[in-house]
Amino acid sequence: MSDNEEEQGPKSTFTTYMAEGDQLFQKGEYVKAIECFSMALSLQPDDKNCLVARSRCYVKLGDAESALKDAETSLKDNKNYFKGLYQKAEALYTMGDFEFALVYYHRGHKLRPELQEFRLGIQKAQEAIDNSVGSPSSVKLENKGDLSFFHKSNGVRPKHLNHSHKKQSKKHGQKMSKYEKTAKQLLGELYSDREYLDKLLQDEDLIKGKIRTGERVQDLIVGCISYLDTRTAFWQQQKPIYARQRDRKLMQQQWNRVRHKPPSDPTRYVLTSLEDIDKALSAGSAESGLKKARELMKGVKEWSEQVLPNKREVLGNLHSCIGNALMDLGNMDKALHHHEKDLELAKKGDLTDSKSRALDNIGRVYARIGKFQQAIEVWEEKVPLACGGLEKAWLFHEIGRCYLELKCYGEARDYGSRSLTAADDITDEKWQLNASVLMAQAELKLGNYKASVLHFERALDRAKLLQDDSASEAIQKALREARHRVTQ
């Protein structure tokens, strides 16, 4: 392997990539989380938990096909893997295949009736199906069966069907107009395309033709209409119109609280620009996000605090965005510089959340480049600012891992214990597993073989409960070694 290939390969452990991916998922940075989970899968390609985790990210990004593929891969060796079943159901639900989603929610519920996720899944899938019944889009949910009449009589739509459709429209004009109004709101600019496609279907000469690839024009038009109708049904049950209107009102109210001047006011410009930067970074466009952040920073620096009262907070936010973009591009030195500027501004302005964010990012940079002692010092400063059991479980675990890398096994064990306590408080089985493994490894290095065995056994129980076969194998191997040491 060449030096260049080595640089492109995984630079950390499977557990570290998984932990970082989990944290990014919690922050809503799904594209970055996918990158971490993909790196983890390059180390352990068949890890079921990692496949499910990446599938969840794809669902959040609306990439239902990729989500379904990962979910089905996680079920390859064990069709009853409950996390895989749930994720497959979620992917199918996102695709608008509510009936199939309902089947898999029921399968999971039968296996693990105590889990609320499956009960809620059954409820929302059933509601989605019920909400679609009676609307024109409901007949589109199963394209193969409901659209079969389009493929009869040599592809020509029967004339009597057009007449009956017109009669039905007149008979139920009020109901149809209500549906059309809803569809127009849901489809937005696509609604005019939907109308145009309907008109094309009335042209019997046109629909008899074929395109260059051999596909019939009628099939192509029907497929497009089917997709739009299915999306309409899906969007309607996902967020009804009244909910969309309510959300717009709430957003306007929140906007009015921030905006005290006309739309040309710098505050509004900054808020809109920050949203654009965040969208670019979340979509994985680091270079685009970096360019926009630098351009905005140039303007903000020229404004006084009278023009922009929260100028310091905005500059800190921009330094954070630039730092994250540079991290994604592999420029760790400059990334560190910007995250340190974010920290400096947060301390001057006594901005607690900004300080926590900056310390988090600085620690991640140090850990990524192998400077574990510096990562520890930064993350230990963040400890009092950590909010919630999940963040604490992750933070204590990462500090413990750094101590383990530095061969400071006592400190690694202590932070592993703190991570386990935080995980126990929120009953998070995954972090109970990670913390138990960390403590077991530290005790093994310290020569406390019996204690190591106990922690490995607890970790093994968690791995089996999570149906994590790859983790179970690794733990069993380490457990055999620890038990062997006890008998020596």
Side-chain angles (χ1 to χ4, degrees):
M1 180 181 289
S2 67
D3 293 339
N4 186 48
E5 287 174 329
E6 288 179 350
E7 289 177 359
Q8 293 177 352
K11 296 182 180 179
S12 192
T13 64
F14 174 83
T15 304
T16 301
Y17 282 125
M18 281 291 292
E20 188 169 353
D22 285 336
Q23 190 196 26
L24 289 168
F25 180 86
Q26 293 297 328
K27 290 182 177 180
E29 298 180 20
Y30 306 119
V31 173
K32 294 179 183 178
I34 286 172
E35 292 174 1
C36 287
F37 291 134
S38 296
M39 291 298 290
L41 286 167
S42 71
L43 296 171
Q44 295 186 26
D46 298 322
D47 186 84
K48 295 185 297 186
N49 286 290
C50 192
L51 285 164
V52 166
R54 191 170 68 175
S55 177
R56 289 169 61 207
C57 295
Y58 283 130
V59 166
K60 291 291 186 181
L61 293 173
D63 187 355
E65 290 185 4
S66 296
L68 182 61
K69 182 179 178 182
D70 275 353
E72 289 179 334
T73 303
S74 74
L75 292 165
K76 182 175 62 175
D77 297 325
N78 182 3
K79 300 298 182 185
N80 291 328
Y81 175 47
F82 72 94
K83 289 188 176 182
L85 287 172
Y86 178 74
Q87 201 53 43
K88 183 171 182 178
E90 288 284 278
L92 289 167
Y93 180 84
T94 304
M95 296 174 78
D97 291 335
F98 307 125
E99 291 89 345
F100 287 110
L102 183 61
V103 169
Y104 284 97
Y105 284 130
H106 273 297
R107 286 186 186 179
H109 181 62
K110 186 176 180 181
L111 289 168
R112 297 294 297 271
E114 76 280 5
L115 295 180
Q116 186 179 10
E117 289 89 338
F118 288 115
R119 292 197 297 273
L120 293 175
I122 291 170
Q123 181 180 348
K124 73 178 182 180
Q126 189 62 62
E127 286 177 356
I129 295 168
D130 292 342
N131 288 343
S132 299
V133 171
S135 70
S137 57
S138 67
V139 299
K140 305 293 185 180
L141 291 176
E142 292 184 6
N143 298 347
K144 292 182 180 179
D146 297 328
L147 296 175
S148 59
F149 64 87
F150 280 121
H151 305 284
K152 297 177 182 177
S153 304
N154 299 320
V156 180
R157 190 177 188 182
K159 293 182 179 180
H160 75 274
L161 183 62
N162 289 328
H163 294 313
S164 64
H165 176 73
K166 289 177 183 178
K167 290 178 182 178
Q168 188 179 12
S169 296
K170 291 178 181 179
K171 185 177 179 181
H172 301 290
Q174 212 170 13
K175 183 177 180 182
M176 289 296 290
S177 63
K178 184 178 180 181
Y179 164 73
E180 293 298 334
K181 183 179 179 181
T182 300
K184 189 172 184 179
Q185 288 178 287
L186 289 168
L187 290 175
E189 293 179 359
L190 293 176
Y191 183 73
S192 59
D193 296 330
R194 174 68 173 77
E195 288 185 311
Y196 181 68
L197 290 168
D198 276 331
K199 290 178 181 178
L200 290 180
L201 270 184
Q202 307 303 318
D203 188 335
E204 295 188 359
D205 292 330
L206 174 67
I207 62 177
K208 292 177 183 179
K210 294 184 179 180
I211 61 176
R212 290 182 181 179
T213 59
E215 187 177 2
R216 291 189 302 175
V217 173
Q218 180 182 1
D219 293 343
L220 190 63
I221 296 171
V222 169
C224 293
I225 292 176
S226 172
Y227 173 79
L228 291 175
D229 285 346
T230 303
R231 290 298 88 192
T232 303
F234 177 60
W235 291 330
Q236 185 177 18
Q237 62 79 33
Q238 278 284 76
K239 180 162 283 191
I241 290 298
Y242 76 86
R244 290 169 179 261
Q245 292 171 342
R246 179 200 61 203
D247 288 350
R248 283 199 295 270
K249 289 179 181 178
L250 289 174
M251 288 177 68
Q252 187 63 42
Q253 290 171 3
Q254 292 171 354
W255 184 253
N256 289 335
R257 285 197 292 267
V258 177
R259 184 187 66 191
H260 300 289
K261 297 183 180 181
S264 59
D265 181 64
T267 300
R268 180 173 184 176
Y269 171 74
V270 167
L271 289 173
T272 304
S273 299
L274 285 173
E275 287 179 2
D276 291 340
I277 293 167
D278 185 59
K279 286 178 182 177
L281 294 177
S282 297
S285 303
E287 291 182 354
S288 174
L290 179 61
K291 183 180 178 182
K292 291 178 180 179
R294 282 174 169 167
E295 288 175 354
L296 180 59
M297 179 176 281
K298 185 178 179 181
V300 170
K301 283 182 175 179
E302 296 176 356
W303 300 335
S304 66
E305 291 192 355
Q306 289 181 334
V307 174
L308 192 66
N310 59 339
K311 177 179 177 179
R312 182 175 291 163
E313 186 176 356
V314 171
L315 285 172
N317 205 322
L318 286 170
H319 278 297
S320 179
C321 291
I322 292 172
N324 286 331
L326 289 167
M327 276 184 69
D328 289 345
L329 294 171
N331 195 335
M332 296 301 177
D333 290 338
K334 288 187 178 180
L336 183 60
H337 167 73
H338 282 283
H339 287 311
E340 286 175 339
K341 291 294 291 184
D342 181 21
L343 179 61
E344 180 185 332
L345 290 167
K347 288 181 176 179
K348 285 181 180 179
D350 194 24
L351 305 169
T352 304
D353 290 341
S354 299
K355 181 180 178 182
S356 179
R357 174 190 66 208
L359 292 170
D360 186 345
N361 288 325
I362 292 170
R364 287 199 298 126
V365 173
Y366 280 135
R368 289 271 290 272
I369 62 179
K371 293 186 177 182
F372 300 113
Q373 184 58 51
Q374 289 93 324
I376 289 170
E377 291 170 3
V378 170
W379 276 335
E380 285 184 336
E381 186 179 349
K382 175 185 165 67
V383 168
L385 306 176
C387 299
L390 185 61
E391 186 178 7
K392 289 179 181 178
W394 172 84
L395 182 59
F396 294 147
H397 179 270
E398 292 305 291
I399 295 174
R401 291 294 308 175
C402 288
Y403 273 122
L404 196 66
E405 294 284 349
L406 294 172
K407 300 181 180 180
C408 299
Y409 304 123
E411 290 84 352
R413 174 191 59 193
D414 294 341
Y415 271 102
S417 177
R418 294 175 72 177
S419 176
L420 182 59
T421 299
D424 285 341
D425 288 343
I426 58 174
T427 321
D428 191 302
E429 294 170 348
K430 184 173 183 180
W431 283 104
Q432 288 173 340
L433 167 61
N434 292 336
S436 296
V437 169
L438 175 59
M439 292 181 67
Q441 290 174 320
E443 294 286 16
L444 187 65
K445 294 292 185 180
L446 290 167
N448 301 325
Y449 303 127
K450 290 184 178 180
S452 178
V453 167
L454 291 174
H455 288 302
F456 274 132
E457 287 176 342
R458 177 173 181 177
L460 184 60
D461 289 340
R462 292 291 175 273
K464 289 179 178 178
L465 190 63
L466 292 167
Q467 297 186 20
D468 190 336
D469 294 338
S470 59
S472 295
E473 280 184 32
I475 294 169
Q476 285 173 342
K477 183 178 178 181
L479 184 56
R480 284 194 294 271
E481 181 187 347
R483 285 172 175 166
H484 179 68
R485 296 285 185 90
V486 170
T487 58
Q488 284 183 335

